[in-house]
Amino acid sequence: MRKLNWAIIGAGQIAGGFDKPYGAQVLTHIKALKKSTSVAMDSISIVEPDNKRRKLFCEKWCISKSYADTDKLLETEKPDIVSICTPPVNHKAIIRKVCESGVRVILCEKPLALSYNDALSIIELCRKNGVRMVVNYLRCFDPTHLRAINLVKNGRLGKIQAVTGCYTKGLFNNGCHIINLLRAFFGKIVDVKNIGGPLSKDFPYESPDFMTKHSDAECLMKALDHRNYAVFELDIIGQKGRIRLI
């Protein structure tokens, strides 16, 4: 089977900065690609407009194909899959270019967009061009989280009595991860309330306390100050049992 050609747009922390080239731990796109047997290693390419950051990324990860702009990469490399690892303010413009280039799969970092309307526009762009897109809410692909989700959905905890959680680093960072998890556990959100905050007014660390309402559960989420520690926890209590994700 032919191996995949893969491109990464953006050379920041989630692209490769959080990881080291050695060791088993995988936190970034490039480390995952380097460990994959389905990706052609010599085909991996990177786009990064900052010359210094691009050079350091390529040296660290032994990447030979690098570009300063997305247009040039798409014209030259013809990737099968593109990882978009830029700040969300740039997502819509980049996704438009990628969709119109003939790429068939996009793996986009969260959040998809900074507004509801932009998110809808991006979804329509993908539909129009026949592009499959995955937003990188990694916990919904993790076996431990999937097992917990299935336990709740299959009624193993009984009627849900209480759902509480806490997060740091803002609604647009960890907050959207916890919202995605709540939807995975309890389905569509039918109502949401801001019940305090934001903890910080500095983008992207706006961190409100909030409550979501689902058909069978109400969930209370508390924002904590990321300058003190990193926390991401969810506590689900039912009539027959309890699940804590920490």
Side-chain angles (χ1 to χ4, degrees):
M1 186 176 69
R2 182 180 72 85
K3 292 192 175 185
L4 297 168
N5 297 328
W6 205 299
I8 300 173
I9 300 177
Q13 294 287 68
I14 197 62
F18 286 132
D19 269 325
K20 293 179 172 62
Y22 52 85
Q25 180 173 257
V26 177
L27 299 173
T28 62
H29 289 248
I30 186 63
K31 183 73 170 286
L33 297 183
K34 288 285 187 176
K35 285 184 169 289
S36 173
T37 59
S38 299
V39 178
M41 294 297 107
D42 59 354
S43 79
I44 299 173
S45 50
I46 182 76
V47 173
E48 172 54 56
D50 184 280
N51 292 334
K52 182 178 180 181
R53 181 180 290 179
R54 185 173 67 253
K55 182 175 183 291
L56 290 172
F57 186 94
C58 290
E59 290 175 352
K60 177 179 179 179
W61 295 104
C62 300
I63 301 299
S64 60
K65 299 179 179 181
S66 65
Y67 299 86
D69 68 85
T70 300
D71 291 330
K72 186 64 175 176
L73 175 138
L74 294 172
E75 177 186 333
T76 306
E77 299 299 334
K78 307 296 183 185
D80 299 304
I81 304 176
V82 173
S83 288
I84 298 178
C85 302
T86 67
V89 67
N90 300 319
H91 285 178
K92 184 178 177 181
I94 293 171
I95 289 171
R96 180 182 297 279
K97 291 180 179 181
V98 173
C99 282
E100 293 174 351
S101 75
V103 170
R104 285 291 167 258
V105 180
I106 295 172
L107 175 58
C108 186
E109 271 304 319
K110 51 78 189 169
L112 178 60
L114 296 181
S115 74
Y116 178 68
N117 286 336
D118 276 355
L120 291 181
S121 295
I122 290 170
I123 292 168
E124 182 57 31
L125 272 172
C126 291
R127 284 177 178 164
K128 180 181 176 181
N129 290 278
V131 176
R132 292 179 177 270
M133 182 173 64
V134 178
V135 180
N136 193 27
Y137 289 116
L138 71 163
R139 289 172 179 84
C140 287
F141 300 95
D142 172 68
T144 300
H145 286 81
L146 287 174
R147 181 170 179 268
I149 290 166
N150 287 331
L151 287 173
V152 172
K153 284 185 172 294
N154 293 334
R156 295 289 294 277
L157 268 63
K159 183 176 175 57
I160 300 301
Q161 303 293 294
V163 182
T164 58
C166 53
Y167 71 100
T168 54
K169 298 192 75 174
L171 193 61
F172 286 102
N173 283 321
N174 288 336
C176 64
H177 272 299
I178 213 162
I179 291 170
N180 184 258
L181 262 186
L182 294 176
R183 293 179 69 244
F185 274 109
F186 307 113
K188 182 180 179 181
I189 296 172
V190 297
D191 192 23
V192 61
K193 294 180 180 178
N194 179 355
I195 57 174
L199 187 67
S200 168
K201 295 182 179 180
D202 298 327
F203 179 84
Y205 298 119
E206 296 96 332
S207 305
D209 301 338
F210 63 90
M211 178 179 289
T212 62
K213 184 177 181 180
H214 310 253
S215 60
D216 296 316
E218 291 189 357
C219 312
L220 175 62
M221 301 296 118
K222 176 69 177 177
L224 303 178
D225 193 335
H226 71 280
R227 292 170 296 183
N228 297 319
Y229 35 66
V231 175
F232 188 100
E233 296 185 4
L234 192 61
D235 191 1
I236 304 169
I237 301 174
Q239 289 177 321
K240 301 178 181 179
R242 179 181 191 178
I243 291 175
R244 293 190 69 202
L245 299 174
I246 56 176

